[in-house]
Amino acid sequence: MRKSLSSLQNALLEPEKRYRPSLEESVDWYKYFNKSIFEGKLPKQPIYDFIFEIAPLKNAWGSTAFYHDENRMLELQLHEVFPRKRVFLEVLAHEMVHLYQIVTDGNHDHGQSFWAWKPILAKHHLGLQTKYYRLK
């Protein structure tokens, strides 16, 4: 399903209940955020251009990695269940900030270049933080 500002606003207002994203919907949100927030500067085709998956992560809601080899392999993982849809969307945006950092300067951390995205995401009604809900 094609994502839009309207669908983002509706998703952010959904009631607090456990949310289990599908890979297809996660890819759709990735493409929408890439276009509307990151101005298309991230890899265009998740799954094909880099590893993008939903997985049962043990200690995090999301993860981004860069493997320093001849293939310059990128990986973005999202947990399989979130406490609510807003957390899923904000974690996806958080991991996409790390992906942007990797693509633009080969680094990814929670330093100045990470926090520079906070006001940009706020314009889209998305928070940026390093601590979300506790994993249960």
Side-chain angles (χ1 to χ4, degrees):
M1 180 170 138
R2 191 160 187 210
K3 302 302 178 194
S4 65
L5 178 58
S6 174
S7 58
L8 176 59
Q9 290 169 336
N10 290 337
L12 293 173
L13 294 174
E14 283 189 16
E16 199 159 329
K17 65 178 183 176
R18 290 172 58 97
Y19 179 71
R20 187 177 293 272
S22 70
L23 183 58
E24 180 181 355
E25 182 175 19
S26 299
V27 167
D28 286 346
W29 282 115
Y30 172 92
K31 288 179 178 181
Y32 174 72
F33 286 172
N34 189 22
K35 181 179 177 184
S36 65
I37 299 171
F38 295 92
E39 299 174 339
K41 294 180 180 168
L42 298 179
K44 306 282 187 258
Q45 295 296 324
I47 303 171
Y48 302 105
D49 292 345
F50 63 97
I51 298 168
F52 185 95
E53 62 187 6
I54 306 295
L57 303 176
K58 292 187 182 211
N59 298 314
W61 292 114
S63 162
T64 306
F66 176 57
Y67 303 105
H68 297 274
D69 66 13
E70 67 279 356
N71 296 321
R72 297 178 49 90
M73 180 65 73
L74 296 167
E75 177 181 70
L76 191 155
Q77 291 182 316
L78 297 170
H79 199 284
E80 60 187 350
V81 180
F82 290 85
R84 64 184 292 194
K85 195 168 191 175
R86 173 181 275 283
V87 176
F88 157 71
L89 293 168
E90 290 183 352
V91 168
L92 174 59
H94 173 127
E95 297 307 329
M96 290 177 73
V97 168
H98 287 313
L99 199 58
Y100 183 88
Q101 290 175 308
I102 292 168
V103 167
T104 58
D105 66 18
N107 241 339
H108 69 293
D109 58 24
H110 294 130
Q112 185 177 2
S113 69
F114 175 83
W115 293 110
W117 284 92
K118 189 169 185 165
I120 297 165
L121 293 177
K123 289 178 185 175
H124 297 270
H125 309 286
L126 294 165
L128 182 64
Q129 53 189 320
T130 56
K131 302 273 189 241
Y132 291 88
Y133 292 78
R134 287 182 184 250
L135 290 174
K136 293 181 182 175

